[in-house]
Amino acid sequence: MTLGALLSEQAGKNPERTCIKFEDRKLSYSEIDNLVTLSAGGLKSLGLKPEGRVAILMENCPEYIISYFAILRAGGIAVPVNTFLTAREISYILNDSGSEILLYSKMYSSHIEKIKDNVPELRAFAFDEVPQQEAEPYAGAGEDIAVLLYTSGTTGFPKGAMLSHKNLISNAEASVKTLLVSQRDRFLLFLPLFHSFTFTACVLVPIYSGASIILLKSVKPFSMVIKSIIKERITLFAGVPRSEERRVGKECRSRWSPYH
């Protein structure tokens, strides 16, 4: 099974269930699945071929998740980009990965011209510039490469790790079984989406189980994290040691707070 097929399967089982809640927006599984299909068709119309690399440079937002799955449904390989990097560092990753297309949010518009100077063949599109059109989904396999994840490069240049659809789905399946995740769960997502831990624990795990994702733009201000835990009746909280876990512990009890 591919990740695109996994999303479609859940949309078929739980079409009206909320998949993502972001600020005042609620997007059901069927709505997300449809947006992914239309965006995948748009990427194909822009010339994306099977195994073509598409980078994502966006803050936390539903469009990030839609873009990620759309790339895969079109047969491409996603290249998440660390939003804290400089334009020069981003250019290195784009060149090294062979990315042909960059999907970005307008928050990072100032980076784009600098990046284009360093990656002349790159085509960059804001999410709302991608055509929305129907197209047959790519018939991929679980062994196909889904994502190129780049290391931080603390001991040299960043290196891309190739992960297949099967790798990612296996991780999600194991987490669901270990943590006893169900459709009734509500995940809080506030860590950066470009991080592999965040995407696995807070996107793939809930989608695998048909649960809901409460998406925040950022961990700051931390008071919004606390308010969301209470207001949205969060049942699963995925954090890291620097997520002010002591404050969280004082305000609520969480069934899941893994550290890495």
Side-chain angles (χ1 to χ4, degrees), residues 75-131:
I77 297 173
V79 183
V81 177
N82 185 333
T83 56
F84 300 130
L85 298 179
T86 64
R88 183 179 180 182
E89 290 168 327
I90 292 170
S91 298
Y92 172 81
I93 290 174
L94 297 177
N95 274 314
D96 187 72
S97 65
S99 294
E100 306 162 7
I101 296 173
L102 171 65
L103 299 180
Y104 69 95
S105 56
K106 293 183 178 177
M107 177 182 291
Y108 301 101
S109 297
S110 60
H111 279 41
I112 299 305
E113 288 307 316
K114 297 175 185 176
I115 291 170
K116 283 183 176 179
D117 288 340
N118 297 323
V119 194
E121 296 183 0
L122 180 74
R123 293 181 297 149
F125 301 93
F127 178 83
D128 57 11
E129 294 174 342
V130 177

Side-chain angles (χ1 to χ4, degrees), residues 190-191 219 222 225-226 229 237-254 256-260:
F190 60 87
L191 299 172
V219 67
F222 198 77
V225 175
I226 300 298
I229 289 172
F237 170 96
V240 294
R242 294 186 64 186
S243 297
E244 301 189 46
E245 65 272 17
R246 291 183 180 179
R247 289 181 59 187
V248 173
K250 291 178 182 178
E251 299 290 343
C252 69
R253 290 186 176 181
S254 171
W256 184 26
S257 184
Y259 302 139
H260 82 145

Side-chain angles (χ1 to χ4, degrees), residues 40 43-44 48-54 67-79 100 138 144-148 163 165:
L43 288 171
K44 283 187 172 184
L48 178 61
K49 304 296 183 186
E51 300 186 2
R53 276 72 163 169
V54 181
S67 296
Y68 189 105
F69 278 92
I71 293 164
L72 305 185
R73 189 164 289 177
I77 297 173
V79 183
E100 306 162 7
Y138 178 71
D144 292 346
I145 301 301
V147 61
L148 285 177
L163 295 180
H165 292 262

Side-chain angles (χ1 to χ4, degrees):
M1 178 184 285
T2 64
L3 287 167
L6 173 66
L7 176 61
S8 290
E9 182 179 278
Q10 284 298 345
K13 292 178 180 177
N14 307 291
E16 301 306 317
R17 185 182 299 277
T18 297
C19 179
I20 300 171
K21 182 178 180 184
F22 179 71
E23 298 177 341
D24 296 328
R25 299 166 62 187
K26 280 187 178 181
L27 295 165
S28 69
Y29 271 90
S30 62
E31 289 173 321
I32 290 291
D33 190 56
N34 184 55
L35 288 168
V36 166
T37 295
L38 293 175
S39 296
L43 288 171
K44 283 187 172 184
S45 74
L46 294 173
L48 178 61
K49 304 296 183 186
E51 300 186 2
R53 276 72 163 169
V54 181
I56 308 173
L57 180 64
M58 297 183 189
E59 73 280 15
N60 281 13
C61 58
E63 289 73 22
Y64 187 109
I65 298 172
I66 293 166
S67 296
Y68 189 105
F69 278 92
I71 293 164
L72 305 185
R73 189 164 289 177
I77 297 173
V79 183
V81 177
N82 185 333
T83 56
F84 300 130
L85 298 179
T86 64
R88 183 179 180 182
E89 290 168 327
I90 292 170
S91 298
Y92 172 81
I93 290 174
L94 297 177
N95 274 314
D96 187 72
S97 65
S99 294
E100 306 162 7
I101 296 173
L102 171 65
L103 299 180
Y104 69 95
S105 56
K106 293 183 178 177
M107 177 182 291
Y108 301 101
S109 297
S110 60
H111 279 41
I112 299 305
E113 288 307 316
K114 297 175 185 176
I115 291 170
K116 283 183 176 179
D117 288 340
N118 297 323
V119 194
E121 296 183 0
L122 180 74
R123 293 181 297 149
F125 301 93
F127 178 83
D128 57 11
E129 294 174 342
V130 177
Q132 301 288 287
Q133 62 184 58
E134 295 282 352
E136 286 295 320
Y138 178 71
E143 290 73 21
D144 292 346
I145 301 301
V147 61
L148 285 177
L149 290 174
Y150 273 79
T151 64
S152 60
T154 52
T155 59
F157 290 110
K159 298 174 179 63
M162 298 182 291
L163 295 180
S164 68
H165 292 262
K166 189 174 182 179
N167 290 148
L168 296 168
I169 291 174
S170 294
N171 283 345
E173 181 179 22
S175 297
V176 168
K177 289 180 179 178
T178 301
L179 299 165
L180 305 177
V181 181
S182 76
Q183 294 178 347
R184 297 187 299 276
D185 281 311
R186 298 166 68 81
F187 285 67
L188 184 63
L189 195 171
F190 60 87
L191 299 172
L193 272 167
F194 64 77
H195 200 290
S196 59
F197 169 76
T198 308
F199 205 87
T200 298
C202 300
V203 178
L204 299 184
V205 169
I207 287 177
Y208 185 95
S209 54
S212 297
I213 302 164
I214 311 303
L215 177 62
L216 301 182
K217 279 187 177 180
S218 171
V219 67
K220 297 179 180 180
F222 198 77
S223 59
M224 286 302 299
V225 175
I226 300 298
K227 288 178 182 178
S228 296
I229 289 172
I230 298 169
K231 179 182 177 182
E232 304 294 345
R233 305 189 308 280
I234 298 301
T235 61
L236 287 164
F237 170 96
V240 294
R242 294 186 64 186
S243 297
E244 301 189 46
E245 65 272 17
R246 291 183 180 179
R247 289 181 59 187
V248 173
K250 291 178 182 178
E251 299 290 343
C252 69
R253 290 186 176 181
S254 171
R255 177 149 60 90
W256 184 26
S257 184
Y259 302 139
H260 82 145

